[in-house]
Amino acid sequence: VQLVESGGGLVQAGGSLRLSCTASGFTYDDYTFGWFRQAPGKEREAISCISMSDLTTSYSDSVKGRFTISSDNAKHTVYLQMNSLKPEDTAVYYCAVDLRGHISLLWYEYDYWGQGTQVTVSS
């Protein structure tokens, strides 16, 4: 299984970015994509997840109302639309896959991880 993220970059506070993550190397239909982030010196933080079977979503309180997760099942791709970005959103963002299809924001529930993409929000 391979996960490849893209879409990170530098943006000013209040701006927007859209991250993408495409999975390959498996044929599951009932799995969950999750987005996590980790800033320097901080613990990994869950952001959002989406079930690829019924599109149920979950968000952390820190991004609720600003970030939107969506998916393209045919492409095994998940997106994270990030609006109203703040400097505290600066981190490396990772996507991950839970092959059991849990709706979970617990990092240890996830089986495979991407390499991460840097998001930097300037003030």
Side-chain angles (χ1 to χ4, degrees):
V1 176
Q2 186 177 20
L3 301 177
V4 179
E5 300 111 330
S6 62
L10 173 64
V11 65
Q12 289 188 331
S16 299
L17 282 175
R18 189 174 84 151
L19 306 183
S20 301
C21 174
T22 298
S24 61
F26 67 96
T27 57
Y28 289 84
D29 292 324
D30 182 13
Y31 60 98
T32 299
F33 265 120
W35 283 102
F36 298 78
R37 67 186 181 189
Q38 189 164 20
K42 295 189 177 181
E43 293 186 353
R44 183 169 12 192
E45 177 189 8
I47 299 172
S48 183
C49 67
I50 184 167
S51 164
M52 298 297 271
S53 64
D54 63 10
L55 303 183
T56 299
T57 61
S58 181
Y59 294 91
S60 68
D61 288 342
S62 63
V63 305
K64 199 173 294 183
R66 298 189 298 124
F67 292 9
T68 302
I69 193 170
S70 62
S71 66
D72 184 331
N73 287 33
K75 297 181 179 179
H76 292 288
T77 298
V78 65
Y79 305 98
L80 186 68
Q81 178 66 44
M82 305 186 294
N83 298 329
S84 303
L85 283 162
K86 305 174 183 179
E88 51 264 43
D89 293 317
T90 295
V92 177
Y93 284 67
Y94 299 91
C95 71
V97 166
D98 171 5
L99 297 179
R100 290 165 296 280
H102 298 135
I103 297 298
S104 172
L105 294 179
L106 301 174
W107 65 266
Y108 52 80
E109 297 272 11
Y110 289 80
D111 303 289
Y112 297 94
W113 293 78
Q115 81 288 351
T117 185
Q118 177 71 46
V119 171
T120 303
V121 184
S122 63
S123 58

